Amino acid sequence: MILRWFASSWEVRLVCLTLLALLASIFSERAAAPLSLITAFNLTAYAAGGYFGTRTALQQLRQGEIDIDLLMLLAAVGAALIGEWHEGAILLFLFSLSNVLQEFVIQRNRGAIRDLYQLYPEECTIVHAGQAKLIPIREVNIGDRILIHPGERIPVDGRIVTGTSSLDESTLTGESLPVDKGVADPVFAGTLNLQGALEIRAEQLASDSTLARIVQLVEEAQDRKAPTQRLIETFGKRYSTTVLIFVLAWLIFPPLIWGVDFRNNFYRGMVLLIVACPCALVISTPVAYLSAITGAARRGLLFKGGAFLETLARLRAVAFDKTGTLTQGQPIVTDVHSVADISQSELLQLAAQIESRSEHPLAKALLRAASAQKLALDSSEALHDFVNEPGLGVRARLGEHSYRIGRVPHLADLLPIAESLSATYDSFCAAGKTVVGVVQLHPAQRWLGLIAFADPLREDADRVVQALHDRKIQVAMFTGDHEIVAQRIAQPLGIAEVHSGLLPGEKVDRLQQLAERQAALAMIGEGVNDAPALAHAPVGIALGGAGSDIALDSADVILMGNRLSLIIDALEISQRACRVVTQNIIFSLTGIALLIAGVFLINLPLPLGVLAHEGSTIIVCLNALISLLLVPEIRRKRQLAT
């Protein structure tokens, strides 16, 4: 892509023309060619080298602003006025070359994201009425069934209808390990099918896929400026005006007042105009943040602007949502307590059979637990009179027996509960677990037992919280659950500040109170009921996972891999980006100061001043590109390879 850009770029062609005209002028002059020919070569070098700079300078002048391009053009024209055509042409050549290299860095950053478009297959095979047909992916409609062979990439977001396989999702999530997928599991455009054949049902158009939204979000983020960048750009414009006024004063007053030789003074003024120009300073910040945003996106981290890199780099407090963020967000069966003449496995099997038609998360947990124990479930046709009573539970008839599963206090109102069973229920509740009871209503009324559920911690939650503590970052937890459940999660993680029983609006209030103590604050949630808090936080981080529309829309930073440990990666990337910005700013300011001193102390010649000035611009660009994009990308590829 970069080679094609170089071959087709008008900027590159004009730089080459500038160099050729400059060399032709030098050789013509040494060969004592006619003055008209030498002048023609000089004018060609000036026209080619100054074309884009002149256009940009005129645009800025129309807006009443003086920019770097104008300073460079004035210096080149000044060199020509005192007969230093070659040095002026060298200035324009190096300035144009520097701009081309800056554009190369920007294209390299944008290309790293746009390369994701190459992950789309151009065509895919749809299955209709038993017939397979190859069509362009832009013609795929929602609901179409698509056949995916091993080694093919998924063309659109969808869900598996038939087949099982392992998918490489590293392009979206940064996760190096393949992910096992089966029937009803979601799949995402651009991911690679490694093993079995799959048939998926399209749930998004190609233009609305997760991959397409990622590219759009990153490109929008690259255009959003961080406070440091805005400050430097404002400073650069005012500084350029100051430099121009100072140089004009330098050209006028020394010859008039002190009788300094005008030509030598003018020459030194042109050198000063060049070396004082803040090119490297102005480009130092945007190129660093651009590289950081692009590199982070390749690792499954989406920053929606450089401002959030800066805030995360100085982060002092983090507020976690509990459910789905610190926990897995998917309840599991932790305890099965049976009574009467029924065993624990029989109770679990019975409850799973009754709940098989329910969509409640606890019902799904029962089915997973029964499947894990390889408990056979009777055909759903044996289940009759199934009724779901929201907030209370379910009731159904299985064969000749009728059952009810639901909240224990409600069932206790229908059928008195034994004291021993009530004590077990109290112990489960004291441990912060959710408990349901199972009773038989016909032919006899009796309690069969209790089943307890809990939402387990994420595997990396303790490591992430400890890493934050090690960085002296304050950690708080927000949750809508009651205090007992909240403490069950917070205590093992070492989270002392816990706010429980919060509605979404109350989370915002607590967040604002925390922000009064710590301005550099991030809220981390899973992007659904946490949307108000994510929107109000200085930095909202959504642990949304690939394909979560709410996460993509509501947060400032998105962890596409649905891995909590990516938060630490986000902190490291933001801190590294700010270090590079600091390095670039210090280097740029130091370079300007040394070059200005060289003008007055050692009569710095124009070619050397031009070379040092443009070289510093190239150095800050390469520092950002190598430190924030190329080196992390090499490490990521090595990780994926292993």
Side-chain angles (χ1 to χ4, degrees):
M1 188 277 293
I2 297 299
L3 291 177
R4 289 198 303 271
W5 175 76
F6 266 113
S8 62
S9 171
W10 273 102
E11 290 90 340
V12 175
R13 294 175 183 176
L14 288 177
V15 168
C16 293
L17 178 59
T18 304
L19 178 61
L20 291 175
L22 172 61
L23 294 176
S25 173
I26 294 173
F27 288 127
S28 299
E29 190 172 294
R30 292 186 177 181
L35 181 60
S36 59
L37 181 61
I38 297 173
T39 303
F41 284 136
N42 285 332
L43 291 175
T44 301
Y46 267 63
Y51 174 76
F52 286 105
T54 302
R55 191 174 65 177
T56 303
L58 290 176
Q59 290 174 350
Q60 294 298 316
L61 283 174
R62 291 191 192 100
Q63 300 174 10
E65 296 178 349
I66 295 174
D67 71 342
I68 296 168
D69 294 270
L70 179 62
L71 300 186
M72 292 296 102
L73 290 172
L74 291 176
V77 171
L81 290 175
I82 59 175
E84 302 290 347
W85 285 89
H86 294 164
E87 295 186 358
I90 291 173
L91 166 62
L92 292 176
F93 166 70
L94 291 177
F95 184 62
S96 300
L97 178 62
S98 175
N99 286 336
V100 166
L101 292 176
Q102 290 177 34
E103 184 64 19
F104 164 75
V105 173
I106 293 173
Q107 290 294 332
R108 178 64 180 82
N109 278 286
R110 295 188 185 276
I113 292 301
R114 287 178 178 147
D115 282 348
L116 292 174
Y117 279 123
Q118 304 301 320
L119 301 175
Y120 282 116
E122 295 182 357
E123 298 178 318
C124 64
T125 303
I126 67 168
V127 179
H128 181 67
Q131 299 293 321
K133 180 182 178 182
L134 193 65
I135 65 170
I137 65 166
R138 64 177 180 274
E139 296 180 8
V140 174
N141 296 314
I142 296 175
D144 285 348
R145 292 198 170 197
I146 305 171
L147 184 62
I148 311 294
H149 295 100
E152 291 184 348
R153 291 196 178 274
I154 308 298
V156 296
D157 290 359
R159 199 167 293 273
I160 296 175
V161 178
T162 60
T164 59
S165 183
S166 294
L167 270 66
D168 178 359
E169 295 186 340
S170 60
T171 52
L172 296 184
T173 67
E175 177 58 59
S176 59
L177 296 177
V179 180
D180 293 332
K181 298 281 186 174
V183 174
D185 286 336
V187 293
F188 307 105
T191 57
L192 180 64
N193 181 25
L194 298 177
Q195 296 177 341
L198 298 174
E199 187 175 323
I200 70 169
R201 183 180 64 253
E203 294 187 342
Q204 295 281 1
L205 301 177
S207 59
D208 297 329
S209 69
T210 299
L211 185 58
R213 293 200 302 275
I214 289 175
V215 176
Q216 178 185 357
L217 284 170
V218 174
E219 290 182 341
E220 290 175 353
Q222 291 171 344
D223 294 329
R224 296 179 181 174
K225 299 177 181 179
T228 301
Q229 182 179 347
R230 292 195 298 269
L231 177 63
I232 288 179
E233 288 183 354
T234 302
F235 169 78
K237 293 176 182 178
R238 296 176 180 175
Y239 175 82
S240 297
T241 303
T242 303
V243 167
L244 183 58
I245 294 173
F246 180 82
V247 170
L248 289 174
W250 174 267
L251 296 179
I252 296 171
F253 293 112
L256 289 177
I257 299 176
W258 296 289
V260 176
D261 179 70
F262 177 79
R263 189 180 187 283
N264 290 335
N265 187 72
F266 190 91
Y267 182 86
R268 187 179 296 186
M270 293 303 99
V271 179
L272 179 62
L273 188 63
I274 293 167
V275 301
C277 191
C279 293
L281 179 64
V282 171
I283 195 65
S284 62
T285 303
V287 74
Y289 287 145
L290 181 65
S291 297
I293 290 170
T294 303
R298 300 302 294 266
R299 296 172 61 179
L301 277 163
L302 297 187
F303 286 88
K304 291 188 177 180
F308 310 117
L309 283 164
E310 289 191 358
T311 304
L312 278 183
R314 61 177 191 274
L315 190 69
R316 302 308 329 144
V318 172
F320 282 96
D321 172 57
K322 179 184 74 68
T323 305
T325 304
L326 291 173
T327 68
Q328 296 179 13
Q330 189 178 66
I332 62 171
V333 174
T334 59
D335 303 272
V336 179
H337 180 80
S338 61
V339 294
D341 56 352
I342 187 172
S343 67
Q344 292 183 357
S345 59
E346 289 173 334
L347 178 62
L348 177 61
Q349 184 180 32
L350 174 65
Q353 176 65 44
I354 295 171
E355 293 277 13
S356 60
R357 293 186 184 178
S358 173
E359 294 297 322
H360 195 280
L362 297 184
K364 296 182 182 297
L366 283 169
L367 292 174
R368 289 193 299 270
S371 176
Q373 295 188 24
K374 295 181 171 51
L375 300 177
L377 303 182
D378 295 337
S379 170
S380 60
E381 296 178 357
L383 191 67
H384 302 284
D385 301 333
F386 177 85
V387 177
N388 183 14
E389 299 176 315
L392 299 178
V394 300
R395 52 187 172 86
R397 181 167 55 86
L398 190 61
E400 299 300 324
H401 298 75
S402 296
Y403 303 94
R404 181 184 287 270
I405 301 176
R407 296 173 58 244
V408 173
H410 173 66
L411 295 179
D413 291 339
L414 301 176
L415 186 64
I417 184 172
E419 185 175 341
S420 59
L421 196 59
S422 179
T424 301
Y425 169 71
D426 291 339
S427 67
F428 286 159
C429 291
K433 299 178 181 180
T434 300
V435 188
V436 299
V438 184
V439 299
Q440 178 180 301
L441 299 177
H442 181 81
Q445 291 187 345
R446 57 175 183 162
W447 280 85
L448 299 181
L450 304 173
I451 301 176
F453 303 81
D455 187 4
L457 283 171
R458 286 181 176 268
E459 293 181 357
D460 52 356
D462 56 346
R463 180 165 58 89
V464 170
V465 173
Q466 184 58 50
L468 293 173
H469 284 150
D470 293 342
R471 287 170 166 80
K472 309 300 181 184
I473 295 175
Q474 179 184 350
V475 179
M477 188 180 80
F478 293 172
T479 179
D481 280 336
H482 55 74
E483 181 69 17
I484 294 176
V485 176
Q487 290 297 336
R488 182 180 66 84
I489 298 299
Q491 288 178 0
L493 296 176
I495 300 177
E497 185 171 349
V498 179
H499 303 272
S500 58
L502 301 179
L503 297 174
E506 293 172 330
K507 288 184 180 180
V508 174
D509 295 336
R510 297 297 173 89
L511 191 70
Q512 291 174 341
Q513 294 172 9
L514 186 57
E516 291 176 358
R517 305 199 308 266
Q518 299 287 358
L521 167 68
M523 171 69 192
I524 304 175
E526 33 66 57
V528 183
N529 62 330
D530 302 308
L534 291 172
H536 282 79
V539 178
I541 303 176
L543 194 68
S548 173
D549 293 332
I550 296 177
L552 289 172
D553 292 338
S554 62
D556 306 312
V557 182
I558 302 166
L559 314 183
M560 294 302 297
N562 203 25
R563 290 179 290 128
L564 202 62
S565 58
L566 284 174
I567 296 167
I568 305 304
D569 292 342
L571 292 176
E572 292 176 351
I573 289 172
S574 61
Q575 291 167 354
R576 190 184 310 124
C578 288
R579 283 198 301 269
V580 170
V581 167
T582 302
Q583 293 168 5
N584 284 352
I585 291 175
I586 293 174
F587 176 80
S588 303
L589 292 175
T590 303
I592 291 173
L594 291 176
L595 290 174
I596 291 176
V599 173
F600 295 103
L601 297 179
I602 62 173
N603 290 324
L604 185 73
L606 181 60
L608 186 58
V610 171
L611 185 63
H613 176 269
E614 302 305 330
S616 64
T617 303
I618 294 172
I619 288 173
V620 298
C621 290
L622 292 179
N623 183 38
L625 182 66
I626 294 171
S627 302
L628 298 171
L629 186 61
L630 296 183
V631 171
E633 181 67 8
I634 291 172
R635 291 174 179 169
R636 189 183 76 89
K637 289 182 178 179
R638 286 178 179 173
Q639 180 186 14
L640 294 178
T642 56

